[in-house]
Amino acid sequence: MRRSQRQHTPKSSGNASPARGDSQAPSRAGWAFVQTLSSGVSWGLYPVALLAILWFLTIRPIADPDCWFHMALGRYIVEHGQIPKTDLFSHTAVGREWISSGWLASVLMHLLFSRFGPAGLVGMVFTVLAVCWVGIYLLGVRRARSGHTMVLVLIAAALAAYLRFNPRPDLWSIFFTPAVALLLLVGDNAANSPRRAVLAGLILPCVMLLWANLHAGFLAGLILIAIAAAFRWRAWWAYSTPARYVWLSGIFLSFLAWIANPYGVRVLALAAKIRAIPGVRMLIFEWMPMVYLPGFNLPMAAYVGFGALVALGTYLMWRGRQTDKQSARDWHVVAALFLVLFALWQRRQAGLCAAALPVLLLPYLPSLEARLRTWGAKVPALVVAATIFICSLQVKGVLEAGEGWPVAALNARMLPCAATEFLERFRPPEQLFNSYGFGGYFMYFLGPRLKVFLDGRLDVYAPQTWLDYLAAEENRLTIEQVCARYGINTFAIEARDAFGDPVHLVNRLSQHPEWALMFYDDDSAIFVKRSAMSEEQRAQEIRYASPYQLQKFLQAVEDPQTQAAALTELRRVVEISNGCAYSYALAAWAAWRTGEQDAVSRYLAKAFERDPQCPLAKQLVEQMRAR
């Protein structure tokens, strides 16, 4: 039959052959062009889009209040060559056990900051996340022969996790969780790739050893290994002899390698100490569950990203369930479920989930990739639009993680930068009562000379110290009681929400005759006990130009006997506070009361330039309109 077909196939004439060749040439060229374009999208456009998103989400002024106590530890280790096991930086937890969540990461952060400043820290964050996200993407391209599905998954993952893109030791857990998941996937395929399984078996315990010294989140890695082992141990035992013994030895050693850290098995106590903190899951924002809590909710973009990631993951695993072995698919699903529930239980774990879930989805990418290829240019257009949209949200501040174009700096509105400079010059009398968010920054720039009352290391402090702090902030413990219990002589308080709240600690201190206001800006205030100061220090008291006692200031400005002193004092406040909005608002009030209308507009403009929501300036505008 085949021979007959060949015999009866008509031959082409000499004139027909070139015509046929001409008709095929454009087709082949067109196909080559499509292949080149597809390759450019997969290997060029999509990685660039991911890097752009990560650049905008990570290169931003540092606002995290806790990275500083980690760096304080790192500096101490570098300077003294030893890791302290008890507290050195506070006067309320002297001698209490201190288990660092990441001593090696703390050293690295301090070295980067001391050498490169804020650029070193944000550069570390970007580099680690870029390696993680782009590495996972390239694995997806290799698996699915195209990157459409994986780039969508990783964009959703970036939105779900961006609030965790901070210079902290837990950055390394975001990096190593997907690394462990990937090694476990390699172990799944040991029957087909025994050499890779051998290599993965050698690498896995090394990863766990390094991870345990960089961050205490290594427990998540152990859980993933345990889940995989529970479902796959029979299949692993059936591998060829070299792969079986190396891989199983790697699994076994991974459960032991983490013990090689400065705290040994005691590092496991850290999680229990954190859980023992009264009300930690409802009072500390990052420890709250990932649910919508009025007043404590995450930015909507984080919920959208997390929801999209979970939805994509569910769809991919459902579509690809018949392309994977049952035993392997089961542990993938259980591991993914663990990561999602972990993030829902504790919102700070969203970073682990967002980084590791895309790796677990690698075997299932082809189930959606073929359909996305039929969309043509729609997927690249969607990726470009999503990239521009996310970056613009960050620039406008909608993501609530800073605003403006990418820049490496310190966020002076969230960190007590000016207050720290004042304390360094002023040398206040011990002991200090400080706001929770200020402690870590004080530790790094002023410690251990200046001992803090409290900081983000809540596991170091006795529960009663934390409860007393809350009681003092909420006016359930009087100033006299706090001072009697802890010998307080100096208060350094966050003052962002003090205006208009008469029971705020700042306002109570302002009205107290024993306490002198020594410094303030738009976000902080420092009070010192008059009896504990020297004569030279008392001369620096802010007697008139206080935003918390407006009427007293206006009376001093209108009184010829005190006007010069009040205005001189106000000029000093402008200088030491780096021109805070409150100081310019007071200047506008003074100009209004003394009839200098041109000065009023000028000072109000400066106040609103520093803080568009300055309540003292807004109050003056309302007064002027009412007149």
Side-chain angles (χ1 to χ4, degrees), residues 421-429 518 526 528 533 536-538 540:
E421 294 175 1
F422 174 80
L423 289 172
E424 188 172 14
R425 295 192 306 268
F426 184 76
R427 300 256 174 173
M518 307 303 297
I526 296 174
V528 179
M533 288 190 290
E536 182 180 357
Q537 290 175 326
R538 290 177 190 171
Q540 301 180 49

Side-chain angles (χ1 to χ4, degrees), residues 40-41 44-50 52-53 56 148 151-152 155 377-392:
V41 168
L45 176 64
Y46 288 167
V48 169
L50 290 174
I53 291 173
F56 274 77
H148 299 318
V151 73
L152 296 177
I155 288 175
K378 293 180 181 178
V379 179
L382 177 62
V383 170
V384 171
T387 301
I388 295 173
F389 183 64
I390 293 172
C391 294
S392 63

Side-chain angles (χ1 to χ4, degrees), residues 406-577:
V407 61
L410 300 182
N411 188 331
R413 291 302 310 270
M414 300 301 296
L415 301 173
C417 300
T420 301
E421 294 175 1
F422 174 80
L423 289 172
E424 188 172 14
R425 295 192 306 268
F426 184 76
R427 300 256 174 173
E430 301 177 350
Q431 312 274 41
L432 175 70
F433 182 101
N434 60 273
S435 291
Y436 170 78
F438 289 179
Y441 197 83
F442 288 163
M443 281 175 58
Y444 185 69
F445 288 98
L446 302 175
R449 177 186 61 81
L450 180 67
K451 308 292 186 181
V452 300
F453 181 88
L454 194 72
D455 66 274
R457 307 167 302 149
L458 286 182
D459 52 281
V460 173
Y461 297 91
Q464 191 59 49
T465 304
W466 166 242
L467 293 175
D468 286 345
Y469 167 79
L470 294 175
E473 288 275 316
E474 297 167 4
N475 199 24
R476 292 182 285 106
L477 200 65
T478 66
I479 295 173
E480 290 79 7
Q481 289 172 324
V482 175
C483 294
R485 190 167 298 178
Y486 296 99
I488 302 300
N489 287 312
T490 302
F491 282 85
I493 306 298
E494 185 178 304
R496 295 186 189 95
D497 55 350
F499 194 85
D501 182 4
V503 300
H504 194 284
L505 183 55
V506 167
N507 290 317
R508 285 185 279 138
L509 287 165
S510 295
Q511 302 296 330
H512 202 292
E514 294 184 9
W515 293 90
L517 176 64
M518 307 303 297
F519 169 89
Y520 69 85
D521 59 13
D522 299 322
D523 308 295
S524 60
I526 296 174
F527 295 85
V528 179
K529 183 178 288 187
R530 288 189 170 91
S531 60
M533 288 190 290
S534 65
E535 290 297 329
E536 182 180 357
Q537 290 175 326
R538 290 177 190 171
Q540 301 180 49
E541 178 183 353
I542 301 174
R543 293 179 171 83
Y544 306 112
S546 169
Y548 316 113
Q549 293 182 295
L550 177 60
Q551 293 305 316
K552 180 180 178 180
F553 170 70
L554 295 178
Q555 291 174 3
V557 168
E558 293 173 346
D559 188 340
Q561 296 182 351
T562 57
Q563 184 182 77
L567 295 178
T568 299
E569 186 177 90
L570 180 58
R571 284 191 289 270
R572 180 167 62 87
V573 169
V574 172
E575 180 181 353
I576 65 174
S577 68

Side-chain angles (χ1 to χ4, degrees), residues 5 21 43 50 55 106 134 141 183 273 332 390 449 453 480 576:
Q5 288 177 342
W43 298 98
L50 290 174
W55 182 266
S106 300
V134 175
V141 172
L183 292 172
K273 292 175 69 176
H332 296 170
I390 293 172
R449 177 186 61 81
F453 181 88
E480 290 79 7
I576 65 174

Side-chain angles (χ1 to χ4, degrees), residues 268-439:
L268 297 178
L270 181 59
K273 292 175 69 176
I274 293 173
R275 285 197 303 270
I277 300 168
V280 64
R281 295 194 67 237
M282 297 308 298
L283 295 172
I284 306 300
F285 186 83
E286 64 181 13
W287 294 97
M288 295 176 180
M290 185 182 275
V291 294
Y292 190 87
L293 299 172
F296 299 97
N297 55 293
L298 296 171
M300 186 56 64
Y303 290 114
V304 171
F306 186 78
L309 177 63
V310 173
L312 279 169
T314 303
Y315 178 77
L316 285 169
M317 285 190 169
W318 176 76
R319 279 288 303 266
R321 66 190 184 280
Q322 296 181 357
T323 65
D324 194 43
K325 294 181 180 180
Q326 179 67 34
S327 57
R329 188 181 73 249
D330 287 345
W331 88 258
H332 296 170
V333 173
V334 173
L337 185 61
F338 156 70
L339 291 169
V340 172
L341 293 177
F342 198 21
L344 291 173
W345 178 68
Q346 196 176 87
R347 59 178 56 167
R348 65 175 291 153
Q349 308 304 342
L352 303 187
C353 177
L357 192 55
V359 173
L360 294 175
L361 296 177
L362 284 172
Y364 309 100
L365 297 179
S367 62
L368 180 59
E369 192 69 25
R371 174 173 293 186
L372 291 181
R373 287 175 189 166
T374 64
W375 289 18
K378 293 180 181 178
V379 179
L382 177 62
V383 170
V384 171
T387 301
I388 295 173
F389 183 64
I390 293 172
C391 294
S392 63
L393 290 180
Q394 174 61 26
V395 171
K396 294 179 180 179
V398 177
L399 298 182
E400 301 179 31
E403 61 181 343
W405 294 93
V407 61
L410 300 182
N411 188 331
R413 291 302 310 270
M414 300 301 296
L415 301 173
C417 300
T420 301
E421 294 175 1
F422 174 80
L423 289 172
E424 188 172 14
R425 295 192 306 268
F426 184 76
R427 300 256 174 173
E430 301 177 350
Q431 312 274 41
L432 175 70
F433 182 101
N434 60 273
S435 291
Y436 170 78
F438 289 179

Side-chain angles (χ1 to χ4, degrees), residues 149-165:
T149 305
M150 183 52 83
V151 73
L152 296 177
V153 170
L154 288 173
I155 288 175
L159 268 184
Y162 76 91
L163 291 175
R164 306 306 309 166
F165 294 171

